[in-house]
Amino acid sequence: MPRLTIDGQEVNVEPGTTVIQAAEKLGVYIPRYCYHPGLSIAGSCRMCLVDAENSPKLQIACYTPAVEGMKIITNNEKVKQARRHMLEFLLTNHPLDCPVCDQSGECDLQNFYMEYGRYESRFLEDKIKKKKATPLGPHVVLDQERCILCSRCTRFTEEISRSHELGIFNRGNRSLVDLHPGKTLDNPYSGNVIDICPVGALTEREFRFKCRVWYLASQPSVCTGCSRGCNVWIHFNASQRSYKNQGRRIQRLKPRFNPHVNQWWMCDEGRFGFEFIDQNRIEFPHLRQGSRLQPVDWEEALQTVVRATRSALDKFGPESVGVIASAMQSNEELYLVKKLFGDGLGVSNIGHSNPAEREGFSDDFLVRGDKNPNRAGAEALDLTASVDSILEKATHGDIKVLWVFHHELPPQALEGAQYVVFMGSNWNRTTESAQAVLAGVTHAEKDGTFSNFEGRIQHFQQAVPPLEESRNDVGVLLDLARRLDCPLDLQDAGDVFRQWCGKSLRELEPFGELLTAAAV
Ligand code: SF4
């Protein structure tokens, strides 16, 4: 194991480690544009130059291997001066449009320039003009003048998406990034080039000019688009959380590094598929009066559904109640469904979903065909009664009260069902057949865990408050448990997780733990 010294600190690294990686191990950040840990080394931007003892010239830290006895200085005057020259060079043809650039606030050209800047320009404004604000595909806009030719985007389309849409054309200061003839940047992972572009050359069509980044706050979460469970950051508007004033609270999703699940990437389907968090939401509990659902308060809604459930249990026994839980629910919610309906009330008709439900596009990279974020959790908790058979019993009148969580069932599946209670976050076709609708929340408005397709339990955290009167399933299930005389001595999702896994959510490994390792 080579041992080297960086800025006076010693570090041991694996053979094959580069200087930039060794420095990261010590917490020393070396500025970079073209280097990205998920891509091949280009060594073109020269921003990561460092001073290596006994080397006559500065070396690029992204490509220089860490070797035994090496002594590296990352921040002396020689290095700083070289970085200043590089920044001045990169800005030769870069437009000075920071005030109107959507990357402002998260642009590395801005950031590093402020750190190393030579504030008095030696240039006349005689810059080469290139294409501005050009859509490359459904999600990405290119501003060629802002590009610093780091080649991260072209390497992404060559090495990761393997879709080869982008290239660098021409020579010298006429060089530019563009689409290959006849191509559109519409691969299923196109949004990642926005994340890795260090400047404002590639921006997101959906997010452009919606919100300045310094108004955003973020919370770690898990994408619910499919059963892979890519780790994401939810970026939400921190200054105005009010849904009514703002229309869209969640501004964007960004991939969050997890070496076991998604590395640095996520698919476009998950990245752009979060409108349901703020659209078509059930904001209040409702009860059917005649042919219409009318909003009511929680007390009235819960009293009514408890009365219906208690009456069916007393008259016809536990076989008269059915529960269709959902692989969209968190582990904690599913655990409580089992505790309340199964262990508490003796109900055996508890299923979670049809295997064919919510199936869709898949590939051999990240996207899974199963669009449920928590099927593995539902299966581990053994909520596996056949949903078809539960629906058949309901339509034949054997099940008197049917609880449906977060599912969109076609109306014909519920024809003949006597009393349907729906709990979920969005209006859908199941609510058309329900006698009672309980207003639930989305994953962005609650804490919990999902188990992805490999059985990896991953923690997601609340980003924004519940809309209006909506409540999370955990709170509602605990309330129901008290009213149905099977109280559970638990307060929130953290308590439920502790009872389920024997540890707190904080003790869960940052990159998640396999169901078996968590001793479930
Ligand atoms: Fe790099 Fe962005 Fe230019 Fe692509 S568009 S080469 S990621 S600066």
Side-chain angles (χ1 to χ4, degrees), residues 142 147-153 168 177 193 196-199 201-202:
L142 168 68
C147 171
I148 57 165
L149 298 164
C150 72
S151 79
R152 280 186 180 183
C153 57
I168 294 181
V177 157
V193 299
I196 59 178
C197 179
V199 296
L202 297 173

Side-chain angles (χ1 to χ4, degrees), residues 184-369:
T184 304
L185 186 62
D186 56 0
N187 71 70
Y189 297 92
S190 69
N192 292 288
V193 299
I194 302 160
D195 305 331
I196 59 178
C197 179
V199 296
L202 297 173
T203 49
E204 184 184 314
R205 293 179 84 169
E206 287 80 351
F207 179 70
R208 273 166 70 86
F209 308 119
K210 289 283 188 312
C211 181
R212 282 300 199 181
V213 295
W214 47 85
Y215 294 128
L216 295 178
S218 62
Q219 197 68 308
S221 189
V222 172
C223 176
T224 56
C226 79
S227 59
R228 175 161 301 269
C230 288
N231 291 206
V232 297
W233 291 105
I234 294 182
H235 286 186
F236 57 95
N237 194 321
S239 60
Q240 302 171 17
R241 287 189 175 195
S242 160
Y243 164 69
K244 295 291 179 201
N245 296 339
Q246 176 185 333
R248 168 168 143 155
R249 298 171 299 167
I250 310 296
Q251 292 292 343
R252 62 184 184 180
L253 302 186
K254 289 281 183 188
R256 183 163 59 90
F257 177 69
N258 186 323
H260 310 297
V261 179
N262 57 303
Q263 297 182 304
W264 299 268
W265 323 117
M266 72 183 294
C267 74
D268 290 356
E269 198 177 307
R271 181 189 297 266
F272 300 108
F274 62 86
E275 294 83 6
F276 70 95
I277 295 172
D278 280 332
Q279 283 177 10
N280 194 32
R281 289 291 303 275
I282 304 169
E283 298 177 6
F284 303 91
H286 286 68
L287 291 176
R288 190 166 295 283
Q289 288 162 9
S291 60
R292 294 173 68 92
L293 285 166
Q294 299 289 350
V296 294
D297 61 29
W298 273 100
E299 186 57 33
E300 187 180 347
L302 290 178
Q303 276 184 17
T304 307
V305 297
V306 164
R307 210 179 303 125
T309 307
R310 176 53 67 203
S311 158
L313 290 167
D314 292 347
K315 283 194 203 145
F316 305 102
E319 288 303 304
S320 66
V321 173
V323 181
I324 303 180
S326 169
M328 295 293 289
Q329 287 178 285
S330 68
N331 289 315
E332 295 68 29
E333 293 163 351
L334 293 167
Y335 178 84
L336 286 182
V337 166
K338 185 176 172 167
K339 274 274 165 197
L340 168 60
F341 289 98
D343 302 348
L345 303 176
V347 173
S348 59
N349 292 310
I350 310 179
H352 69 271
S353 48
N354 293 327
E357 196 187 356
R358 291 175 55 80
E359 282 288 323
F361 165 77
S362 67
D363 63 21
D364 58 2
F365 184 32
L366 296 180
V367 185
R368 306 283 307 175

